[in-house]
Amino acid sequence: MRLVFLGAPGAGKGTQAKRLEAEKGWTVVATGDLLRAAIAQNTPLGQQAQAYIQRGELVPDPLVNQIVAERIATLESFILDGYPRNLTQAEMLESILTQPLDAVIYFEISEDALIERLGGRRVCPQCNAVYHITANPSKAGDQCEHCGATLVTREDDQPDTIRKRFQVYREQTAPLIDYYRQRGLLRTVNADASPEEVYQRLLSVL
Ligand code: AP5
């Protein structure tokens, strides 16, 4: 299965992608996670990406295209979470795929609901597990229930940066909804429900 997960910041793409990976074995390729790992390791990619992420802007296409091309080259099944993010990246993806995409899942939800989700998000800096202080708290309190690391708030989950990310999403990423609809690949999931309910909706469109 070759899937793209599309949706605004905080729509639940990462939460659902990780569950689908755990249950179906399809590898998640999450560009945000890969970029944050590169920043944590202070690699040349991380050094170039950091300022863009802090400002809530997209990291330049050539950097992101390269990491995705390397990651999916050997994968039969994958879930692309957070890529493509604009038309240039969508065209790049089309050119590197050896087999076509099966579907593009669009997680649809209003921005108002997302402010609450992003404000309460806590993430594990070690294994990338994602929690929410009320909707999905860690069973280990301030620690990750999987690996024990101390949970943190993402640097770009600050109000000003969240606003910028929404703007970037509206201007650059949302046009991909029509792009993939025209290609007959779009499957829409109403993402304004509990994580379990959204997962069941996701399974039903797959
Ligand atoms: P990225 O990491 O991709 O961030 P994003 O797209 O903004 O998406 P998020 O991770 O914020 O949200 P999500 O939809 O995964 O939601 P989640 O499951 O975590 O990108 C970050 C930055 O990296 C970008 O701004 C850019 O700079 C750069 N970048 C990444 N990809 C790039 C690319 N292709 N090109 C260029 N630059 C790129 O859920 C959010 C919260 O809600 C969590 O707390 C969760 O527990 C909770 N939650 C989830 N589902 C539910 C539910 N159903 N009900 C209640 N709470 C829920």
Side-chain angles (χ1 to χ4, degrees), residues 9-196:
K13 305 178 296 294
T15 299
Q16 299 298 332
K18 287 180 177 83
R19 177 147 179 209
L20 207 54
E21 178 178 52
E23 297 195 5
K24 304 279 186 193
W26 306 332
T27 304
V28 176
V29 178
T31 41
D33 287 348
L34 293 170
L35 292 167
R36 282 185 289 277
I39 292 170
Q41 291 157 16
N42 201 25
T43 65
L45 169 66
Q47 287 165 8
Q48 291 179 79
Q50 186 163 28
Y52 294 97
I53 292 184
Q54 276 173 347
R55 290 196 297 265
E57 296 170 6
L58 294 186
V59 173
D61 294 333
L63 297 177
V64 183
N65 287 337
Q66 193 187 340
I67 51 172
V68 172
E70 284 168 9
R71 287 280 164 154
I72 65 172
T74 54
L75 292 174
E76 278 282 309
S77 290
F78 55 77
I79 304 166
L80 285 174
D81 168 13
Y83 182 95
R85 232 25 186 241
N86 59 27
L87 208 55
T88 312
Q89 293 182 12
E91 286 165 354
M92 169 69 185
L93 177 61
E94 221 160 270
S95 76
I96 59 173
L97 284 174
T98 50
Q99 289 179 290
L101 292 172
D102 291 294
V104 174
I105 310 297
Y106 167 43
F107 292 87
E108 187 175 41
I109 184 166
S110 74
E111 280 185 19
D112 289 347
L114 297 180
I115 304 281
E116 155 67 15
R117 288 195 187 178
L118 292 171
R121 173 163 57 186
R122 299 292 179 271
V123 296
C124 174
Q126 201 157 287
C127 73
N128 293 324
V130 178
Y131 301 93
H132 187 276
I133 49 174
T134 53
N136 178 30
S138 167
K139 295 186 183 80
D142 292 338
Q143 266 78 45
C144 176
E145 64 189 39
H146 302 293
C147 72
T150 300
L151 301 179
V152 297
T153 301
R154 254 171 57 173
E155 219 178 333
D156 59 349
D157 278 348
Q158 305 302 327
D160 284 351
T161 321
I162 291 173
R163 270 192 290 278
K164 178 67 184 172
R165 286 162 61 206
F166 281 148
Q167 184 197 344
V168 169
Y169 171 77
R170 282 193 297 269
E171 291 173 1
Q172 300 192 47
T173 309
L176 293 181
I177 298 166
D178 274 344
Y179 176 89
Y180 284 119
R181 185 179 285 126
Q182 283 160 13
R183 282 160 179 72
L185 287 169
L186 199 77
R187 311 274 182 276
T188 301
V189 170
N190 177 347
D192 196 2
S194 69
E196 177 61 32

